[in-house]
């Protein structure tokens, strides 16, 4: 048989070599003697058993004749009578052998004188010393069908219960209408009833035994079975109404197709070639059949995972697939070949053969065994472990220098958490970006993307993507390139790190609330559309693809949706869209245009600018676009509303004829604002930090030189208290726009 190796996905499939031959402890041959006429044939049926009495279906037998001029035997056990006389047929399996006496009769059915002498010698029994004191019958009682024959054996015993010398015996049935008995103790059932068989010896010795005769159906066991070619098994006829008593004789056996399977006179079946056929037993006015399937011989025992690869870990209350199947030499499956499964301790785990899954019930270790005839058993070690684990977060963002803690728990089959595992170790795949402490504390060290992993002692892992960011984002055309997205830190604002710089204009970038994603507007497909990417600048994907321009994204506090401005050939209007690009909803539809949305910390209110009344003012509305109302009433132009953590608003106010701009703060629910600071130049855009303690803003003024144009400047300023503006160094002709925290 050949062996192949397959690697299905993550599991390594293994194959088991055919089993080595088991030791033969006993050989039995049916019939025990043969009487043949010259030229007649009859099959011998041999069976081998191990020390425990188990049938060895793969045993091989050798046949030989003591006198091939009297009787010849084929390698398959078919005996042919050649001339009158006595010969012995020897049947051998490994070191065990048994002999069958074959008597070949002369024409007319008589034995030669020499054969008769041999028969007498073979039939004689050794004498046992001592006079008999009692007679014992074996068995104590018989159950028979009408017409069935059984046998009692009489054993002379001495007074101490040991065998005595043979005595002449007389057999008698006390109810001839129920059963008859022959001189050799053979009993034949006649009609339904209860009878008594008596045996009497010299000196008044005697014994009786009961005979119960009752009609009843017999059945064959098993009713159907499957075997490969050249296998031997035994069919048994039993009477269910008589406690499944085995019928020992009186049946005629035959095969419906002797090319597929043959059967001996006692129900020993030998499979020959692939196919299907019935084996029929007839007797006592009945006929019963067993369907025999002879399938192709299995040459491969395909196993997955490979038992030698180590224990199969099954999470508590979970399951794992285990495969064992028979395959032919061409690797095609042989589904008829039965694989027998056995679990060592079903309290720990059980196996569902139909689904091919080992199902865990409680913690512990057990075994799973798969048996296929002709192969060594496949034995897996099954370790039921506490289960899969999960982290409380699978994505998180941290500014450089900040810390957070991850928690690990057992995960059930629905993904829920229950209990905390012990012995967990923590790892970082990029120690230069994040450090992970033994308690799951993650420390952000440098901008980038890394993975924090928790590992259990039994080999289960759970991990989280960690994005380490700067303090603020900025779109700028640094180094003469197109507008790209950069990030910087408050402590070193002059050092900007590129996040996304390509041939497109990428503007108005803003981190998601958890800092793992960035929403922005880009013209990479021609018109400006909304995009979302990971915080490290990877995996950018478009959310919109309209012909108009989409810009000014603002996240809802839960990170589920974005509020944005869309101009489709007319005035800009506000819309809402899910972060996966689905479920777009319009929020405004008024003349004059609406834009620059900001979402309140509780997610209930949206602040925005609108020129619906002629002058650009600050408005608010509910999150679904309802209840739109103006909250400023000055003639000045107002822009870029931003929420403080407590719900107050900050926004830009043009100073009109005085020139420049002011940044003001308006308490929640009020229509009166107070200035935070003023700038002589125009404040083009600004960002409010998430804790409300500082702002980043861009100003623009006309250049003083002859070339004209606008000069841009970027500042950072503290608001607690309001401090001086700290300029950020920019390159020549650099144009920073739309900062965000």
């Amino acid at each position: 048989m050949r062996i192949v190796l397959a690697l299905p996905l993550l599991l390594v499939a293994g194959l088991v070599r055919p089993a080595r031959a088991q030791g033969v402890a006993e050989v039995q041959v049916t019939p025990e003697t043969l009487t043949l006429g010259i030229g007649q044939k009859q099959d011998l049926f041999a069976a081998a058993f191990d020390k425990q009495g188990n049938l060895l279906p793969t045993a091989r037998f050798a046949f030989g004749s003591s006198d091939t001029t009297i009787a010849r035997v084929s390698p398959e056990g078919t005996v042919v009578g050649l001339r009158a006389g006595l010969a012995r047929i020897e049947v051998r399996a490994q070191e065990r052998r048994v002999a069958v006496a074959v008597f070949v009769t002369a024409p007319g059915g008589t034995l030669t004188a020499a054969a008769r002498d041999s028969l007498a010698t073979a039939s004689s029994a050794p004498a046992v010393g001592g006079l008999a004191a009692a007679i014992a019958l074996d068995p104590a009682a018989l159950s028979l069908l009408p017409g069935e024959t059984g046998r009692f054996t009489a054993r002379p015993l001495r007074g101490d219960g040991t065998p005595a010398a043979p005595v002449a015996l007389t057999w008698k049935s006390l109810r001839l209408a129920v059963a008859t008995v022959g001189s050799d103790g053979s009993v034949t059932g006649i009609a339904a009833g209860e009878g008594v068989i008596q045996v009497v010896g010299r000196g008044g010795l005697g014994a009786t035994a009961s005979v119960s005769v009752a009609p009843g159906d017999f059945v064959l066991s098993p009713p159907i079975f499957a075997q490969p070619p050249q296998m031997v098994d035994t069919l048994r006829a039993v009477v269910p109404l008589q406690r499944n008593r085995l019928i020992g004789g009186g049946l005629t056996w035959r095969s419906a197709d002797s090319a597929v399977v043959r059967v001996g006179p006692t129900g020993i079946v030998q499979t020959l070639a692939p196919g299907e056929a019935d084996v029929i037993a007839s007797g006592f006015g009945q006929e019963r059949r067993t369907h025999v399937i002879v399938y192709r011989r299995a040459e491969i025992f395909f196993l997955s995972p490979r038992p030698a690869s180590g224990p199969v870990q099954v999470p508590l209350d979970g399951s794992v697939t285990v495969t064992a199947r028979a395959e032919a030499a061409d690797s095609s499956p042989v589904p008829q070949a039965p694989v027998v499964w056995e679990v060592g301790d079903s309290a720990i785990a059980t196996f569902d053969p139909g689904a091919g899954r080992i199902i865990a019930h409680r913690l512990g270790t057990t075994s799973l065994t798969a048996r296929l005839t002709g192969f060594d058993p496949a034995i897996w070690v099954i370790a039921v472990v506490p289960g899969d684990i999960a982290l409380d977060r699978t994505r998180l963002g941290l500014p450089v220098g900040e810390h957070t803690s991850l928690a690990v728990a057992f995960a059930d089959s629905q993904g829920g958490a229950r209990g905390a595992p012990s012995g967990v170790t923590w790892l970082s795949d990029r120690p230069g970006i994040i450090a992970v402490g033994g308690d799951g504390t993650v420390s952000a060290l440098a901008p980038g993307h890394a993975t924090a992993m928790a590992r259990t002692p039994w080999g289960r892992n759970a991990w989280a993507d960690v994005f380490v960011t700067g303090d603020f984002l900025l779109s700028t055309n640094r180094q003469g390139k197109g507008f790209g997205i950069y990030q910087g830190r408050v402590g070193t604002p002059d050092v900007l790190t590129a996040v996304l710089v390509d041939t497109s204009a990428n503007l108005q970038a803003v981190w998601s609330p958890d800092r793992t994603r960035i929403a922005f507007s880009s013209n990479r497909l021609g018109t400006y559309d909304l995009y979302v990417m990971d915080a490290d600048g990877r995996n950018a994907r478009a959310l919109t693809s309209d012909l108009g321009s989409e810009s000014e994204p603002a996240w809802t506090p839960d990170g589920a949706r974005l509020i944005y401005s869309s101009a489709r050939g007319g005035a800009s209007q506000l819309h809402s869209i899910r972060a996966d690009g689905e479920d777009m909803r319009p929020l405004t539809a008024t003349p004059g245009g609406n834009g620059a949305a900001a979402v309140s910390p509780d997610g209930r209110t949206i602040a925005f600018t609108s020129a619906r009344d002629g002058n650009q003012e600050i408005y608010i509305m509910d999150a679904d676009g309802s209840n739109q109302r103006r909250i400023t009433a000055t003639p000045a132009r107002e822009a870029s509303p931003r929420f403080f953590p407590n719900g107050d608003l900050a926004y830009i106010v043009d100073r009109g004829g005085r020139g420049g701009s002011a940044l003001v703060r308006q308490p929640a629910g009020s229509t009166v604002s107070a200035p935070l600071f003023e700038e002589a130049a125009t404040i083009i855009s600004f960002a409010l930090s998430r804790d409300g303690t500082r702002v980043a803003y861009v100003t623009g003024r006309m250049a003083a030189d002859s070339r004209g144009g606008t000069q841009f400047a970027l500042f950072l300023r503290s608001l607690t208290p309001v401090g001086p503006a700290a300029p950020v160094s920019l390159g020549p002709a650099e144009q920073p726009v739309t900062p965000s925290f």
Side-chain angles (χ1 to χ4, degrees), residues 393-473:
R393 289 171 287 174
T394 58
R395 288 170 63 94
L396 64 145
L398 287 175
V400 174
E402 291 197 8
H403 312 274
T404 191
S405 292
L406 291 172
V408 62
F410 291 120
D412 59 28
S413 57
Q414 286 74 42
R418 50 179 181 81
S422 60
V424 173
T425 56
W426 293 86
L427 304 168
S428 167
D429 70 333
R430 302 184 70 183
I433 294 177
I434 62 169
V436 186
D439 59 353
T441 298
V442 180
S443 300
L445 305 179
H449 175 203
T451 300
M453 178 181 292
R455 176 172 295 167
T456 67
W458 57 91
R460 286 291 194 270
N461 299 323
W463 50 88
D465 287 313
V466 182
F467 297 91
V468 180
T469 69
D471 297 317
F472 61 89
L473 287 172

Side-chain angles (χ1 to χ4, degrees), residues 563 574-576 585-589 606 621-626 628:
I563 313 300
L574 293 178
H575 293 74
S576 170
R585 304 172 186 173
L587 298 177
T588 65
I606 298 174
M621 61 183 173
D622 294 344
D624 60 359
S626 62
Q628 298 180 19

Side-chain angles (χ1 to χ4, degrees), residues 245-437:
R245 175 183 61 82
L246 181 68
I247 296 178
L251 295 176
T252 301
W253 297 84
R254 62 186 175 89
S255 169
D257 188 343
S258 58
V260 174
V261 61
R262 66 177 181 175
V263 60
T266 59
I268 295 180
V269 174
Q270 182 180 16
T271 55
L272 301 177
E276 298 186 27
D278 284 349
V279 170
I280 304 109
S282 302
F284 314 111
Q286 304 173 49
E287 181 177 282
R288 298 290 181 265
R289 294 172 178 258
T290 282
H291 190 64
V292 179
I293 300 171
V294 184
Y295 52 81
R296 293 178 300 163
R297 184 173 295 278
E299 302 287 345
I300 302 167
F301 199 9
F302 179 90
L303 306 173
S304 176
R306 186 163 48 91
S309 62
V312 177
Q313 293 184 329
V314 186
L316 187 63
D317 297 327
S319 63
V320 171
T321 299
V322 177
T323 301
R325 66 171 178 265
E327 293 183 351
D330 60 359
S331 297
S332 60
V334 184
Q336 302 91 343
V339 176
V340 179
W341 297 89
E342 179 184 349
V343 175
D345 187 344
S346 59
I348 293 175
T350 54
F351 186 74
D352 180 353
R357 300 189 71 81
I358 186 78
I359 303 165
H361 299 299
R362 67 175 175 83
L363 298 178
T365 301
T366 184
S367 63
L368 174 66
T369 303
R371 304 180 191 275
L372 177 63
T373 300
F375 293 84
D376 288 328
I379 303 174
W380 290 268
V381 175
I382 305 299
V384 178
V385 298
D388 290 328
I389 59 171
L391 299 179
D392 58 340
R393 289 171 287 174
T394 58
R395 288 170 63 94
L396 64 145
L398 287 175
V400 174
E402 291 197 8
H403 312 274
T404 191
S405 292
L406 291 172
V408 62
F410 291 120
D412 59 28
S413 57
Q414 286 74 42
R418 50 179 181 81
S422 60
V424 173
T425 56
W426 293 86
L427 304 168
S428 167
D429 70 333
R430 302 184 70 183
I433 294 177
I434 62 169
V436 186

